[in-house]
Amino acid sequence: MTPVFEGWYRNADGSFSISFGYYNRNAAEAIEIPIGAENFIAPGDSNQGQPTRFEARRHWGVFAVKVPANFGTTNKVTWTVRMLGQTFAIPASLHPDWEIDALAGEAGSGNTPPVLKLSSGGPEAQGPAGATAGPLTAMVGQPLTLTIWASDDGRSSGSVAGAGRGNATVSLTWFKHQGPGGVTFSAPTPRPAADGMATTTATFDKAGAYILRVRANDASGVAGAGHAQCCWTNGFVMVQVK
């Protein structure tokens, strides 16, 4: 399991978001690595939003660490993962060569990430850092309803042919991001309705604190977005299960 530094982008408030993904070399088996000595970010809090569940194969732009406007180009944020006696550490910085077009529109196409809301009146978010909501409360074995809203500009990476198609181009995928037990989604890949609303339920088999991630991506697909990371937005829902 190898952590990956994807690049960084500028936020409207002057801060920066450093995007990370990972590569689980297993073809089908997911890996669980709890936050702690085997899965941590430094400097600062060891838990800065990284996953503890790693799905099979390559996953791009899974979360982002926000750093202040005065972070500079030489300071580093390092994500370290240890498993099977091996240590994998990836340092990330604001070096100019690693700036990405996550919010600005990839490679001049004008394609921007889908817009995601985690509640009907909540703030809109775009890009790998996405939006965070909760904590919600759930009971072990009882389905928790999750409702989000997603829309898109209708463009795909490298093309403007689909402009204007709106949320019809948005694909949604739910993941367990952090948590001590298993999570089952009734609809792991729900489709947004005409108003952008999409609903699923999550059922938990163990009590504890969880983070669920929903990824909204456009017609380009995540792998097809390449270095720019133009084409998806993450949402993180915190849940306390009793």
Side-chain angles (χ1 to χ4, degrees), residues 5-76:
F5 167 43
E6 313 280 18
W8 61 269
Y9 61 92
R10 304 169 189 270
N11 298 311
D13 63 2
S15 66
F16 303 92
S17 288
I18 297 175
S19 179
F20 290 93
Y22 64 83
Y23 180 31
N24 173 2
R25 290 173 175 78
N26 291 333
E29 181 184 359
I31 299 171
E32 300 271 355
I33 308 176
I35 301 295
E38 296 182 339
N39 180 2
F40 65 93
I41 290 177
D45 192 334
S46 60
N47 185 354
Q48 296 190 43
Q50 72 269 34
T52 63
R53 179 178 175 85
F54 301 90
E55 303 292 342
R57 297 304 191 186
R58 179 71 161 92
H59 289 258
W60 289 261
V62 173
F63 74 104
V65 173
K66 191 173 182 178
V67 297
N70 64 352
F71 190 73
T73 59
T74 58
N75 289 319
K76 291 180 172 60

Side-chain angles (χ1 to χ4, degrees), residues 3-222:
V4 178
F5 167 43
E6 313 280 18
W8 61 269
Y9 61 92
R10 304 169 189 270
N11 298 311
D13 63 2
S15 66
F16 303 92
S17 288
I18 297 175
S19 179
F20 290 93
Y22 64 83
Y23 180 31
N24 173 2
R25 290 173 175 78
N26 291 333
E29 181 184 359
I31 299 171
E32 300 271 355
I33 308 176
I35 301 295
E38 296 182 339
N39 180 2
F40 65 93
I41 290 177
D45 192 334
S46 60
N47 185 354
Q48 296 190 43
Q50 72 269 34
T52 63
R53 179 178 175 85
F54 301 90
E55 303 292 342
R57 297 304 191 186
R58 179 71 161 92
H59 289 258
W60 289 261
V62 173
F63 74 104
V65 173
K66 191 173 182 178
V67 297
N70 64 352
F71 190 73
T73 59
T74 58
N75 289 319
K76 291 180 172 60
V77 172
T78 301
W79 182 18
T80 300
V81 177
R82 297 188 174 112
M83 63 173 297
L84 301 177
Q86 294 185 298
T87 297
F88 302 91
I90 184 70
S93 72
L94 301 181
H95 190 287
D97 288 352
W98 284 94
E99 184 172 7
I100 55 178
D101 298 329
L103 302 182
E106 182 266 334
S109 71
N111 180 35
T112 56
V115 174
L116 185 65
K117 295 194 302 180
L118 300 181
S119 64
S120 60
E124 296 182 343
Q126 289 180 287
T132 301
L136 306 179
T137 300
M139 301 296 293
V140 171
Q142 298 184 13
L144 172 69
T145 298
L146 301 166
T147 304
I148 60 134
W149 285 258
S151 61
D152 186 52
D153 57 16
R155 301 174 187 267
S156 60
S157 181
S159 171
V160 298
R165 289 183 291 175
N167 58 36
T169 65
V170 179
S171 298
L172 300 171
T173 308
W174 281 95
F175 304 88
K176 174 191 149 181
H177 191 71
Q178 291 187 9
V183 182
T184 301
F185 296 101
S186 61
T189 57
R191 297 292 298 182
D195 62 355
M197 188 175 75
T199 300
T200 189
T201 67
T203 303
F204 305 84
D205 67 6
K206 185 181 292 187
Y210 290 77
I211 298 178
L212 307 179
R213 179 171 72 100
V214 60
R215 185 188 67 213
N217 58 276
D218 67 16
S220 302
V222 178

